[in-house]
Amino acid sequence: MLPRQNRHALLTLAAVALVAGAGVAWAATARERSLAVYPAQHVPLRFDHAQHLEAGADCASCHDAARKSQSVKDLNLPGHEECETCHDIEAGRKGKPTDPPSACNTCHPGFDPTVRKEPAKLNMPAANLKFSHQQHVDKKVECSVCHGEMTDVKLATRNQLPKMATCFKCHDGTVASNTCATCHPTEPSGRIRIAFDSGLLRPMQGNPLGMDHGPRFEFNHATRAKSDRMTCLQCHSESYCQTCHDGMQKPLSIHPNDYITLHPVQARAGTPRCESCHRAQSFCAACHERVGVGMDADRTLRARNQKVHPDYAAWVEILGPQHHGIAASRDLGSCISCHREESCMSCHSELSSRRQINPHPAGFAQSCKKLASANDRACLKCHSSDSLAAKGCK
């Protein structure tokens, strides 16, 4: 058994870990304000809104400048001039008793003018939004509509700034515009700016539009993108989507661990569609050849204890239910995951030195001229231009 002192230490560590874990979970799931919209603040002040409201002050007593403010860069906070309406700051500096209290440390906790020249600086970065207090004041919007009731609030912080759900109470497309660019800064392209020094604008749990870009969004965004594509294009360009969907850059998080072993089942079922990210003739075939699967793979890599196709005669020579032509007509996607176009042409091309087996069905010659005149590039894979002319296809 552990000594008593060590047991106490372990219990203390466990309690700290539990509290820390709860804090992480809360921070990850709570419907809080985005740092990309409202950057972190440092407010080294002591203040009580409830106390001032009870004493008869109103919003304009301290924030009168907000009435004419047209930019989020305006601080709109009271300075000594506003405070001196009630507080005798000069007398407080000299150490004289005042009512209400007016010494520096009344509002600047811990500040000692005999030690420091100035109190700690306030840091309240501007919100990454487009907003005009004056426009809202002119429309008779009360302060509490956006900032909430302050009767129980001491020091106001970014927690008293409005969430998007609050904005949508008026910005519903009827009373006021509900387009994203009404409030959010835009890039030169016209799309919403999403990258800021304070963070990345990423809709999370509780987003009023239901655009939760949480950990599973890579897996379930397709349904929303199909039904509401224009909303996606407010922030993302087509090229942004193509960074994943063009098959050149594939996020590894889209597949679970050991997907190399598991992927054949999903590939055969077509869920999800491999071709939406991967090019079968380059990505799939090349990977299969590197591990010994595929006609062009190094023979020394091929497995000796398993067989993909039936016996050669039934698969190639004998026309029947096991013939490769039947399998290819049913599921060509499975074929091209291991075989390149050149594999088929080695037997089915008129230009092949190995075999020249005609893959076309009976009566194809009657329609070949129409097909070749529309686009003869496919025809020229297996036939020369002179051969097509001789067959009456050109």
Side-chain angles (χ1 to χ4, degrees), residues 115-194:
V115 177
R116 296 185 60 182
K117 184 178 180 180
E118 295 179 347
K121 294 291 185 182
L122 179 77
N123 182 24
M124 297 186 72
N128 294 312
L129 291 171
K130 295 184 289 185
F131 188 83
S132 169
H133 275 90
Q134 182 180 10
Q135 186 175 1
H136 287 73
V137 170
D138 291 344
K139 291 183 179 294
K140 310 301 182 184
V141 179
E142 295 292 336
C143 303
S144 59
V145 172
C146 298
H147 299 289
E149 295 293 342
M150 306 297 288
T151 52
D152 296 323
V153 176
K154 290 189 176 183
L155 182 66
T157 64
R158 58 195 295 276
N159 290 329
Q160 277 66 52
L161 297 174
K163 297 180 182 180
M164 186 157 56
T166 302
C167 303
F168 277 154
K169 290 178 180 178
C170 296
H171 288 269
D172 57 0
T174 302
V175 177
S177 172
N178 63 350
T179 62
C180 302
T182 300
C183 300
H184 290 282
T186 56
E187 300 284 5
S189 64
R191 291 187 176 85
I192 302 304
R193 181 182 174 189
I194 60 175

Side-chain angles (χ1 to χ4, degrees), residues 309-325:
H309 301 308
D311 292 334
Y312 182 83
W315 184 244
V316 177
E317 301 292 348
I318 302 173
L319 291 176
Q322 290 189 312
H323 192 269
H324 72 279

Side-chain angles (χ1 to χ4, degrees), residues 204-358:
M204 297 300 284
Q205 182 184 11
N207 176 266
L209 294 176
M211 299 294 287
D212 181 357
H213 286 38
R216 298 288 302 173
F217 195 66
E218 288 181 344
F219 300 89
N220 57 28
H221 71 281
T223 302
R224 187 58 187 264
K226 290 176 182 176
S227 63
D228 195 6
R229 182 168 171 268
M230 294 309 298
T231 299
C232 301
L233 291 175
Q234 294 290 315
C235 296
H236 305 292
S237 64
E238 295 280 5
S239 60
Y240 175 86
C241 303
Q242 290 302 315
T243 56
C244 290
H245 286 284
D246 69 352
M248 299 298 290
Q249 178 181 338
K250 293 161 282 292
L252 298 179
S253 61
I254 202 69
H255 296 309
N257 292 336
D258 195 28
Y259 194 67
I260 290 179
T261 303
L262 302 174
H263 80 281
V265 176
Q266 289 190 352
R268 289 296 297 271
T271 309
R273 285 192 60 202
C274 304
E275 293 85 357
S276 63
C277 291
H278 305 292
R279 295 172 180 167
Q281 284 290 279
S282 56
F283 182 88
C284 301
C287 185
H288 289 170
E289 288 172 1
R290 287 195 297 271
V291 296
V293 180
M295 193 173 78
D296 297 324
D298 187 333
R299 292 182 178 274
T300 61
L301 297 176
R302 293 181 182 176
R304 299 173 183 270
N305 60 344
Q306 57 183 324
K307 186 165 59 173
V308 178
H309 301 308
D311 292 334
Y312 182 83
W315 184 244
V316 177
E317 301 292 348
I318 302 173
L319 291 176
Q322 290 189 312
H323 192 269
H324 72 279
I326 303 296
S329 64
R330 290 174 176 169
D331 186 11
L332 187 62
S334 293
C335 303
I336 63 176
S337 64
C338 292
H339 298 284
R340 299 182 186 275
E341 192 176 58
E342 291 80 8
S343 302
C344 304
M345 290 170 59
S346 65
C347 289
H348 292 291
S349 170
E350 191 179 62
L351 307 175
S352 172
S353 58
R354 182 182 178 188
R355 283 180 161 184
Q356 296 87 34
I357 298 174
N358 182 9

Side-chain angles (χ1 to χ4, degrees), residues 82-97:
E82 287 81 8
C83 298
E84 284 176 331
T85 304
C86 301
H87 296 269
D88 191 346
I89 295 176
E90 190 59 33
R93 282 175 176 167
K94 296 177 180 179
K96 296 179 180 179

